[in-house]
Amino acid sequence: MKKNIVKLFLFVVVFAFSVNTLAQNSYSGNNRDLSDKYIGAITDNARYIAEQGDVIKALSLLLELDANPQYSGNKEIEAAMRYIRDIYNSSKYKPIHEIGSYFFADNAISNGGKYLYISANKRILVYDVENSSYKQLIEFDDDVLGLTLTDDEKSLLVNFSNGGRSSLIDIEEGKIVKTFEASRISKHINDGHYYTICDACISKNQKHIATLDGKHIGIWSTQSGDLLHVVNIPFANDANSMTISNDGSRLIVNDYNKAIIINCDSGEIIETIEPEYRISATLFNNDASKVMIAGNDIIKTYDTA
């Protein structure tokens, strides 16, 4: 859920970045009343659909609504999502799929909203939203905590619960095609500690994959699977998320109130930006010449080195 909210917040960031103002996202008077009525109608419908047993269809309705920057972070939408989650986890409701009950950890939705990808225990469910049916089931040995859909929608980058690896999944084949092992980072550092992966991201052009263990960044070649660089995060406080540029040339690590920018080709730290607030989201522009940093209801744009 937290990850979804961050993704949705990034939609707001993109919108603000393109028009350089948040004024168009504000509402007042009758417009606010109409928006509240619209949200109420959709959330009520989603609740009803979930109560009838189709939890995934209900969730997809809310995700499409939440993807609209006008409604991002709306408390009524978040409350409806919690309600649907509680319905699914309640023992008085039958599982919506023959494989039995499971817990939703993360999800991604395709462009246009045709397919919904859901990580649930040791499975990824591919749900056809238009036909209200399951298209595919992919199973693993470990619980799946996080997933990212690649821009071409052919692959999923997956994080597993044991923190030992991230893997690239071919969706059509339903198989792991490459694995990025945390043990290779531990071996490279060789300080007696075993490091685990808490986050991973892939560039839009799929040139680089980056993994994060809280204190170190692993930069990998997507094509070969080779570990190219291990970058130490100086005086790491709470490094728990990353954003990679579209071309895979730059990476920004969010470490509480520090944004650390890394050159993915050289593995060098280019710059550290320290805004006077805790960072909640970051975003590069198309050529990675600028970065937007958001937090505490503040959004600022910085030039990158």
Side-chain angles (χ1 to χ4, degrees), residues 52-63:
Q52 302 308 305
D54 197 342
V55 176
I56 305 300
K57 185 174 182 179
L59 179 63
S60 67
L61 282 176
L62 295 179
L63 286 174

Side-chain angles (χ1 to χ4, degrees), residues 1 4-5 36 38-51 54-66 71 73-89 104:
M1 184 66 189
N4 277 336
I5 295 174
D36 290 344
Y38 174 70
I39 291 172
I42 297 297
T43 53
D44 286 347
N45 187 37
R47 284 186 172 94
Y48 175 78
I49 291 172
E51 289 166 357
D54 197 342
V55 176
I56 305 300
K57 185 174 182 179
L59 179 63
S60 67
L61 282 176
L62 295 179
L63 286 174
E64 288 188 50
L65 180 64
D66 233 359
Y71 312 124
N74 182 275
K75 292 183 179 179
E76 188 170 352
I77 298 173
E78 293 178 16
M81 286 187 175
R82 289 194 297 269
Y83 178 80
I84 291 170
R85 179 200 62 195
D86 292 342
I87 284 179
Y88 187 78
N89 291 331
F104 298 155

Side-chain angles (χ1 to χ4, degrees), residues 115-291:
Y115 296 116
L116 185 63
Y117 303 85
I118 307 161
S119 62
N121 294 108
K122 295 180 172 63
R123 310 169 180 93
I124 293 177
L125 310 175
V126 184
Y127 186 79
D128 187 326
V129 176
E130 292 181 359
N131 297 315
S132 298
S133 62
Y134 285 94
K135 178 177 182 290
Q136 190 178 0
L137 171 67
I138 307 172
E139 297 189 89
F140 305 96
D141 295 330
D142 298 312
D143 286 350
V144 179
L145 287 188
L147 56 85
T148 302
L149 180 66
T150 58
D151 194 61
D152 61 8
E153 300 186 3
K154 294 181 179 180
S155 305
L156 288 164
L157 180 62
V158 173
N159 294 337
F160 293 97
S161 60
N162 63 8
R165 60 189 169 118
S166 290
S167 295
L168 199 61
I169 313 297
D170 183 296
I171 296 174
E172 184 176 352
E173 296 292 329
K175 295 180 180 179
I176 295 174
V177 292
K178 285 187 178 66
T179 294
F180 310 92
E181 299 278 357
S183 59
R184 294 170 64 182
I185 296 175
S186 299
K187 184 177 180 180
H188 180 92
I189 300 169
N190 194 28
D191 62 357
H193 293 282
Y194 179 76
Y195 295 95
T196 59
I197 294 171
C198 65
D199 191 26
C201 59
I202 184 169
S203 61
K204 189 173 182 179
N205 65 356
Q206 300 186 41
K207 179 181 179 180
H208 288 133
I209 283 175
T211 59
L212 171 66
D213 65 27
K215 293 185 178 181
H216 307 90
I217 300 293
I219 300 175
W220 311 73
S221 165
T222 306
Q223 183 174 3
S224 68
D226 292 338
L227 177 61
L228 303 176
H229 308 286
V230 175
V231 185
N232 178 58
I233 304 171
F235 308 107
N237 292 315
D238 185 27
N240 56 19
S241 63
M242 305 176 293
T243 304
I244 196 166
S245 63
N246 290 342
D247 62 2
S249 66
R250 298 287 189 272
L251 179 74
I252 186 165
V253 182
N254 303 338
D255 183 16
Y256 195 76
N257 64 343
K258 292 187 296 184
I260 303 165
I261 301 177
I262 298 167
N263 184 316
C264 293
D265 294 318
S266 67
E268 297 178 349
I269 294 176
I270 303 171
E271 183 180 3
T272 299
I273 301 172
E274 299 187 55
E276 296 178 355
Y277 50 84
R278 182 168 184 172
I279 298 169
S280 60
T282 54
L283 184 71
F284 285 107
N285 67 341
N286 286 335
D287 63 3
S289 62
K290 298 180 184 295
V291 65

